Amino acid sequence: MAPSRMKVFTSTLCTTLHTPAFEFLSGSETHFFESPDRRDVILKYLESQGDAFEVTERVEDFGAGPIERVHKQDFLDYLKTAYEEWIQEGGHPNGVLPGTIPHYKVARLGKLKAANCLAKSGEYCFDMSAVITKDTFKAAWNAAQVTLTAAKDLVRAADEYEKSVEAGSTTRENPPGLYALVRPPGHHAQSDICGGYCYLNNLAIAAQWLIDQPDLKSNADGGPKRIAILDIDFHHGNGTQEIFYSVANPLYTSLHSVDDYPYFTGSALEKGEGEGLGFNINIPLVQATTNDDYVETLDKLIQDHVIPFKPDYILVSLGVDTYKDDPIAGFLVTSEGYPRIGNSIRKIGVPTLFIQEGGYCIEKLGLNVGGILLGYMGKTGSL
Ligand code: SP5
Ligand code: ZN
């Protein structure tokens, strides 16, 4: 029998270390939507679901290696020292916020080197929603380590599953699922630029780590483990796309809003390059997307691209900012839609790690995230 409880990997540091005071939304100052209580309300909901979930705060230290495989050293050095430099240069204690971002029409980048933190804040960040507070780097580092801890457990769970299938004690319709409940999120963070509430790309770090393990071989071809990424956050994961744009493994797939943030990436014409050509699948959706539209598109994406890729593992960028009442985003997806989305992913039949990204309707955040995870387990939630 596959375990009926889903393991949840998290850490209180995901709540306490990164608590920016505000952000700007359409020109007005407002509270920070990617708020610390997001983790607490999700956890509270999961803990209310009988014994469906098993929460662990055990975090293994994987060191800098797996993070340096994905992010450039100068960017990591910047993130680590930015707040201190910012304060030394007279910046506001609220945190590092770029005032000047090197616009491509200015075209000076590469000729002039950013000489101070005021300049670097623009060089290493593409918008104004990724303020760097005193402990932001520690928070992002911790989120990456939690995600790696979950990825390592995915390997164990998948091996166990394979053995029970061989022994005939379970079927392929019952794949194991794990969940990394982390913040700050990651999918907008590119190899050397932060933005969109994201600093380190948790999912990309975990995916690369899985591919890099010399002892792990793909069931499909005996090479490195094959990973398919499903990015179901409302926003396009420009960071994950950029990091893996020229490789054939992992496969990156994304369903997202056609004309919302981050605006300049996410078109269906972005298909990857070099060896990665054909391994980047963007499916932009209109604002009026309903549960039926969403699930139908997701099922087709799975049939046409994910299953033919023969993945050993699925990594999901789990955003529920697709929800109809999300304060900064939102399709017409309702709370009834999420278990259906989880069920579609379950039907792939491949061990899956869910990694938390966006979702800002605090009142329904636990219900919606829980809906996906319970749907994946073939269960339904209760209020
Ligand atoms: C991880 C994640 O979900 N990051 C998203 C960051 C979005 N920040 C900018 C939001 C701009 C929203 N503009 C409102 C448009 C209304 N449709
Ligand atoms: Zn999002």
Side-chain angles (χ1 to χ4, degrees):
M1 268 293 286
S4 57
R5 301 174 84 187
M6 183 182 280
K7 263 202 194 173
V8 178
F9 292 79
T10 190
S11 148
T12 47
L13 299 182
C14 293
T15 298
T16 55
L17 283 181
H18 177 61
T19 60
F22 64 87
E23 68 174 281
F24 296 103
L25 197 63
S26 302
S28 112
E29 187 181 325
T30 172
H31 72 278
F32 192 67
F33 281 95
E34 200 285 280
S35 64
D37 51 342
R38 292 177 65 247
R39 181 244 183 202
D40 300 340
V41 297
I42 294 172
L43 202 55
K44 200 168 157 211
Y45 180 83
L46 300 185
E47 284 173 341
S48 77
Q49 296 306 300
D51 58 359
F53 299 96
E54 180 188 339
V55 179
T56 173
E57 298 233 0
R58 179 182 65 79
V59 184
E60 233 176 278
D61 183 8
F62 289 75
I67 296 172
E68 290 169 352
R69 284 284 287 138
V70 162
H71 292 288
K72 293 190 185 150
Q73 194 59 53
D74 61 325
F75 171 64
L76 293 171
D77 293 343
Y78 163 74
L79 282 182
K80 195 172 189 173
T81 57
Y83 186 80
E84 209 176 309
E85 281 184 30
W86 177 258
I87 296 299
Q88 275 165 13
E89 289 172 21
H92 195 282
N94 270 341
V96 182
L97 196 62
T100 307
I101 293 175
H103 195 280
Y104 70 98
K105 290 176 188 165
V106 175
R108 281 275 177 82
L109 193 61
K111 293 185 195 159
L112 287 180
K113 192 99 194 88
N116 51 39
C117 195
L118 274 170
K120 284 187 209 163
S121 65
E123 182 177 344
Y124 290 115
C125 192
F126 67 83
D127 74 359
M128 290 177 74
S129 73
V131 61
I132 301 172
T133 63
K134 182 169 168 295
D135 288 324
T136 293
F137 181 69
K138 270 192 209 155
W141 192 271
N142 174 66
Q145 301 294 342
V146 171
T147 310
L148 285 162
T149 305
K152 188 172 170 186
D153 205 57
L154 172 70
V155 175
R156 182 203 54 76
D159 285 351
E160 225 167 69
Y161 174 61
E162 208 51 49
K163 284 192 192 112
S164 7
V165 172
E166 276 164 29
S169 52
T170 192
T171 61
R172 290 218 182 267
E173 279 99 68
N174 211 9
L178 300 91
Y179 173 46
L181 172 45
V182 291
R183 65 174 289 279
H187 78 149
H188 295 302
Q190 300 190 175
S191 55
D192 63 351
I193 191 162
C194 60
Y197 308 144
C198 302
Y199 307 87
L200 298 177
N201 195 315
N202 303 313
L203 182 147
I205 292 164
Q208 190 63 56
W209 181 84
L210 288 164
I211 290 168
D212 284 346
Q213 296 313 296
D215 299 338
L216 296 182
K217 302 289 181 223
S218 169
N219 292 337
D221 61 9
K225 287 287 185 188
R226 297 173 66 77
I227 294 171
I229 298 167
L230 278 180
D231 190 328
I232 58 171
D233 187 279
F234 174 83
H235 305 101
H236 178 241
N238 60 290
T240 317
Q241 166 170 297
E242 183 255 357
I243 289 165
F244 297 126
Y245 206 59
S246 56
V247 293
N249 182 27
L251 168 74
Y252 177 74
T253 72
S254 176
L255 300 185
H256 51 267
S257 170
V258 63
D259 45 20
D260 210 300
Y261 181 91
Y263 305 110
F264 304 106
T265 66
S267 121
L269 299 173
E270 296 155 25
K271 295 175 192 286
E273 65 188 12
E275 286 176 16
L277 186 62
F279 296 94
N280 193 89
I281 313 288
N282 285 329
I283 305 193
L285 298 169
V286 295
Q287 206 63 39
T289 295
T290 62
N291 291 346
D292 284 350
D293 301 332
Y294 196 94
V295 171
E296 198 177 300
T297 314
L298 177 61
D299 284 342
K300 186 163 162 43
L301 169 71
I302 288 170
Q303 286 307 323
D304 293 354
H305 297 284
V306 176
I307 291 174
F309 182 73
K310 299 195 170 69
D312 299 289
Y313 305 128
I314 308 281
L315 266 52
V316 178
S317 262
L318 171 48
V320 289
D321 36 12
T322 46
Y323 182 55
K324 67 179 177 63
D325 293 330
D326 193 278
I328 68 161
F331 291 137
L332 300 180
V333 175
T334 68
S335 296
E336 287 72 46
Y338 292 107
R340 294 176 59 191
I341 293 170
N343 187 50
S344 289
I345 300 172
R346 162 195 173 87
K347 282 188 298 188
I348 306 170
V350 171
T352 298
L353 171 57
F354 295 87
I355 300 164
Q356 187 61 46
E357 303 282 2
Y360 309 100
C361 178
I362 287 288
E363 296 74 29
K364 298 292 162 111
L365 189 54
L367 176 69
N368 293 343
V369 169
I372 293 191
L373 301 177
L374 290 162
Y376 180 86
M377 289 187 277
K379 300 181 182 181
T380 47
S382 57
L383 279 169

